[in-house]
Amino acid sequence: MKKYSDQEIKSFGLIPERIPKHVAIVMDGNGRWATAKGLPRGAGHRAGVNALRDIIRFTSDIGVESLTIYAFSTENRKRPKEEIGILCGLLIEYFNREIDELHENGVRIKSIGDLSWFPTAVQETVRAAEQKTAANPGLKLNIALNYGGRAELVRAMRQAFAENAEADENAISRHLYTSDSGDVDLLIRTGGDERVSNFLLWQIAYAELYFTDVKWPDFTRDELIKALKAFAGRERRFGGLKTNGAK
Ligand code: IPE
Ligand code: IPE
Ligand code: MG
């Protein structure tokens, strides 16, 4: 739930009218973070999970409406079984530890992607978190788990066909997992690579892209503020011409 007043938002160097409605994050670089410290990759994933807490808290506090985070892609299924097992364990641990605070803060949790691929324990934990928070009025937190942008579009098309919908943009967009969050305004990718990796292909059509070399476990609130400041300074034209004050 939004906590900060406009005055407080300004005190972070941000512009209240230029807070994005929908932020998406490719949380990349956990493995390299760990390797650089001589630690196993799993330690990087653990540190990455810990970094999430303050980012969710801050986006919620400044009144971002939707936050969509990439936790596991359809392509990540290629990773060694052992690493996937570690990620599944962390996921369960994360929800068990954070669910109460998220719920108290009015966060509504939704997983996007094909959850059925995961072990039953993961599915049950995630579904329980979704159910508990389903009616919450605050930040819409979409967690991408076994998610792929192409798979999402195929699924949306299937659903549209099944209802004999007109073949138009709305037929697709209303069947996306994120239909109630709308288009992405700001896409952040940590970890130094500048690519999309099959994330939210439809929803980022006019997103502002922000890339940083900072690896996900080191992505603090101050790093997020940098991204939000960059966003506030962008001129968004959506294919049109510059208009007075339009950014
Ligand atoms: C992102 O970190 C988390 C997942 C993809 C699950 P990586 O594990 O991709 O870390 P790097 O890119 O190898 O450093
Ligand atoms: C993207 O990171 C997926 C997640 C952060 C969950 P990857 O590490 O899988 O992306 P690539 O392989 O570098 O494109
Ligand atoms: Mg990576």
Side-chain angles (χ1 to χ4, degrees):
M1 305 274 269
K2 188 166 189 283
K3 182 175 102 179
Y4 294 130
S5 64
D6 281 3
Q7 207 48 48
E8 285 168 314
I9 287 173
K10 284 180 194 156
S11 74
F12 297 113
L14 300 172
I15 306 169
E17 311 79 61
R18 302 232 179 112
I19 299 291
K21 283 194 166 68
H22 187 176
V23 177
I25 310 184
V26 180
M27 308 183 290
D28 196 22
N30 293 348
R32 282 164 286 162
W33 180 91
T35 305
K37 290 184 149 48
L39 298 169
R41 291 179 58 85
H45 293 313
R46 180 171 290 279
V49 171
N50 292 338
L52 201 50
R53 177 180 214 167
D54 202 37
I55 298 304
I56 295 175
R57 190 64 198 254
F58 191 70
T59 44
S60 166
D61 287 349
I62 61 174
V64 168
E65 291 173 16
S66 298
L67 174 65
T68 304
I69 51 176
Y70 211 2
F72 193 86
S73 73
T74 47
E75 289 72 25
N76 290 149
R77 294 185 310 212
K78 292 183 223 162
R79 300 230 176 156
K81 272 210 173 74
E82 192 200 338
E83 180 164 343
I84 294 174
I86 288 173
L87 287 167
C88 289
L90 282 170
L91 210 62
I92 294 174
E93 198 183 307
Y94 171 77
F95 278 109
N96 289 339
R97 193 180 67 209
E98 301 291 331
I99 187 65
D100 288 338
E101 186 181 320
L102 290 166
H103 187 49
E104 273 162 34
N105 288 326
V107 175
R108 192 208 65 180
I109 295 164
K110 188 176 165 185
S111 69
I112 67 171
D114 181 11
L115 206 59
S116 72
W117 176 83
F118 286 98
T120 321
V122 172
Q123 294 183 38
E124 284 171 359
T125 305
V126 175
R127 292 295 179 220
E130 289 178 334
Q131 276 159 22
K132 184 176 171 108
T133 62
N136 284 350
L139 177 73
K140 295 185 179 90
L141 176 64
N142 304 310
I143 307 185
L145 292 168
N146 189 22
Y147 170 91
R150 288 185 173 175
E152 178 183 40
L153 287 171
V154 170
R155 174 180 172 272
M157 270 182 239
R158 275 209 191 105
Q159 291 182 1
F161 279 135
E163 59 186 32
N164 266 320
E166 281 291 315
D168 58 15
E169 292 191 5
N170 182 263
I172 305 237
S173 61
R174 73 169 182 272
H175 289 301
L176 298 174
Y177 291 115
T178 57
S179 58
D180 50 2
S181 291
D183 284 347
V184 171
D185 297 301
L186 170 63
L187 174 71
I188 297 170
R189 181 171 185 142
T190 63
D193 287 306
E194 303 191 351
R195 57 177 169 255
V196 171
S197 300
N198 202 14
F199 196 36
L200 305 174
L201 298 178
W202 180 282
Q203 298 90 328
I204 61 171
Y206 268 100
E208 295 298 327
L209 309 180
Y210 179 88
F211 298 104
T212 171
D213 287 337
V214 173
K215 295 176 185 71
W216 175 252
D218 290 330
F219 193 78
T220 55
R221 165 188 299 230
D222 286 342
E223 294 297 332
L224 176 60
I225 289 172
K226 280 189 210 165
L228 293 167
K229 281 184 183 164
F231 175 82
R234 304 269 178 98
E235 183 187 274
R236 303 185 81 191
R237 292 186 293 278
F238 297 98
L241 299 177
K242 185 177 178 178
T243 53
N244 235 358
K247 280 212 174 176

